[in-house]
Amino acid sequence: MTLVRPLFLLALALISFGLLTCTGFKSLVDLQKEYGIVNMPEAEDYPDDDAVIVVETHFTDIEIENNYNVVTTERVHRLKRLFRNLDDHGEIEIPIYSGEKLLSISARTIKPDGTVIPLKSSDFYHLSGQSEGSTFYTDRKSVKFTFPALEKGCYIEYEYTKFDELPFTMGRWNIQRSVPVLHNSYSLNIPAILLDHGWNWRYKAFNCDIGQPVVVRPIVRQTTLDYKILYTWTLKNVAAFRYESDMPPANNYMAHVRVAPADWATWDDVGRWYYGNFFKPRLQIDRSVQQQALVLSNGLKAEEERVKATYRFVADMRYVAVELGVGGIRPNFPNTVLDRGYGDCKDKSMLLIAMLEAMNIKAEPALVLTGDEGTVDPSFPSWSFNHMIVKAESGGNVYWMDLTARHYEPGSLPCVCEGINALVLHPDSTVTIERTPTSRPEDNIVHMTVDLDLRENLDLQGRVRIAYEGKEKFRKRNFFEDLSLEDKERYCRSLLIDEYVNVGVDSVTLEDGPDSTPMILTFRFEVPGAVRKQGDLYFVKQDPFKLLTNLRWLSNEKRRYPIRFNYPMTVRKNISLRLPPNALFIRNMPEPVRLSNPSFYYANRYEKVNEQHLASVEEFRINVADVPNVEYEQTRTFFDKVKRSIEEQVILTATK
C-alpha cells in the first residue's frame, strides 16, 4: 500500500534519526479529574497486589488516504503505581506487528516526592527476530525500555503512537491485567463517510461483557472527511487476573476484545486475503527448486520417503527471522530461501510446499496460534496466528510438519502445535479449520531399566538404560545435541543427586538411530555407603529416580484453571536389586499399589525373585495434556498416594 500523507512521511524521516518523544503528559491531579478517580491507589488498599494501573487508554483514529486506503493511528497511554516487587514492573516491551510503524513514544518515572525523571530517546531499544525458548515461533519486532529510579509508591507512565497500514488485522484490546485497573477505555474515531458507505468493523468480547459504546456525534454535520464519529468503551475497577502455575495460556481466560476488518465475515475471507495477497504470488517453482527436489527424490521410490527427505532438508536449515515491510506475514520466494539456506516458519514452509509440489505431492500451508499463546475462536474470523506449519498428503497418509522443529519427523508436531485449530489454506483461496493431531500416552515414553548391585561394604553400583520415544526422544535430541561428554555426565548425575549426594557417574553413551527407534542413554554409577543401618535392619531406596520434576502446582488448596502438561506420556521403570551373597537378605518390601483416574495412572509392584534378588515394575501415565480444575482435589489425593508409595523403602536384614 502506498503511504502518501506528508505528516506520516515526516514521522518516518524523524524515526530514521531516533524515536520521536513527546512531553505531553498531564499532571496527576489533572488525570484524577479527567477520569473521575477520587483517590489514588495506596498500598494498604491493595494488600494482594504489587501495583495498580490507574489509567489505561487506547485511542484509534481511522483515516482515509489519498489512494482511498483505510489506515489507523493508535495512541496508547498507561499510568501505573508500584507498591512491591518493583523489578517485575520496571521493564516494558511494546510489540510492533506487521504493517505497523512506531511514530512516537515517551515515558517517565514520577517519584513519591513528585520528582519527574523522563526517559531519553536513547533509552528505547529496537528488537527484531526474537525467539521463544529454544524454538522460534514468532516473527515480531518490538521496542523495549526500562524505567529509572524506581521506589515503592512511585508512578511509571508511558505513551506511544503507532501507525497501521493493515487496520484491525492484529486488533486486540486487553481489558484485564495481572494487576487491578481503575480506568480502562478504548475509542474508535471513524470518518462518517465510511459508515455512510457501509464500512464497518467487527469485534468480539472474550470473558467479559463490555456493553454498548458511548457514541459522540457533532451537532452540526460537516461535509469534509474530518467529520468523524467517536465510539468509546469504558470499564472501571477491573479486577486483577490471578495466574496459577502450570495453567493453559492466560489469553484463554483474561478479559479482552478482538477487533477485525468488517470484510472478514468468514474464514474464507481471511484465507483469500492472506493466500491471495501474500502467499500465492510467492509460490513460484523455478529451475533451482525443481533441481533440488530432483536431488532429494533421487533413488526414493516411495512418496513417504520423499516427504521425509524433503522435510529433513528444509527443517535442518537455520531459522532466521527477516522482516522487511510486511515481512512478518509475507514469505520469501522459494528460490530465495533455498539460496540463503535459512528462513523463518513461513519461508521454510513455502520452500517445502514448492519442492513437494515439484514432486507432485500435495502440500498446503496452515496458519496456527501455538497452544502456549491461546486458542483460535472458530466463530470469530480474524488474524489470530503466530506460526505457520504444513499439511501434506501422500498415499492416503496425512503429514503435519513444523519446519522450525528440526528434531521431529513428519507427522509429529511439537506440543504447542498439538490439538489446536489450524487454518489450512487451499490453492483456490478457500480454507478449512482443522484440528491438528494429538499424541497418546503410549506414543511418548521414557523407559528406564536399572540393575543395582549392593556390595558387602554397603556401596551401591548401578547400570542404567533409558529409552526415549516419541516427543521425549525429539526433546532429548534437542537437549543432547551440543552437549560435551562432561555435560552428559553432569546431566546423568543430576538424575540421582536428590537421593544420592555423593554419587559418581561414568561410561555415558548415547545412541540415536532412525526415527522409528528410541534414543538410548546408558551410564553407570556408584554410591558409597548407600544403605542406611538402624539396629539390625538395613534400609535401601531401590528407585532413586524422580517420577516428575515439577509438582509446584500442587501447593494450592484450590484451583481455578486446568493443569497443563506438555503432552500425554508414559514413564516405565524396571529395577532389579541384587544383594551381596550370604550377607544381606530381604525382610520386607513395599505392598503393590495401583491408582487410576481419567487423567492419571500409577502402578508399582515388587517381586522377590529369591532371598537376595528383588525386582520392581513401576508405570506412570499422564493421559491428557489438560487436567480440568474440577479434578484438582482428586488429583492432589492421587499424587499424595503416589508420593507415599515412592517413599517406601526395602528393608534388609543380616539374617534369614
Side-chain angles (χ1 to χ4, degrees), residues 594-608:
R594 187 179 183 276
L595 306 169
S596 180
N597 64 40
S599 299
F600 303 100
Y601 172 86
Y602 177 79
N604 192 2
R605 63 180 176 83
Y606 289 77
E607 178 185 356
K608 187 177 181 181

Side-chain angles (χ1 to χ4, degrees), residues 429-491:
S429 293
T430 61
V431 304
T432 53
I433 295 181
E434 301 182 28
R435 198 77 171 171
T436 60
T438 57
S439 55
R440 304 163 301 169
E442 55 267 33
D443 296 326
N444 311 308
I445 298 176
V446 178
H447 190 177
M448 305 179 69
T449 304
V450 185
D451 291 312
L452 302 172
D453 289 304
L454 185 61
R455 302 305 183 188
E456 288 190 27
N457 62 359
L458 301 186
D459 290 354
L460 187 66
Q461 293 181 338
R463 297 173 301 281
V464 181
R465 180 185 186 272
I466 308 177
Y468 302 99
E469 300 180 40
K471 286 181 174 45
E472 287 295 312
K473 172 182 178 176
F474 303 138
R475 285 173 58 128
K476 282 297 185 288
R477 270 183 178 171
N478 182 66
F479 175 74
F480 284 121
E481 182 180 28
D482 294 320
L483 292 189
S484 66
L485 177 59
E486 183 180 355
D487 291 332
K488 292 173 185 174
E489 290 177 349
R490 187 177 296 112
Y491 169 74

Side-chain angles (χ1 to χ4, degrees), residues 200-216:
N200 207 335
W201 77 99
R202 299 167 46 251
Y203 67 90
K204 182 175 180 178
F206 294 84
N207 307 311
C208 64
D209 180 10
I210 60 172
Q212 295 299 312
V214 173
V215 181
V216 179

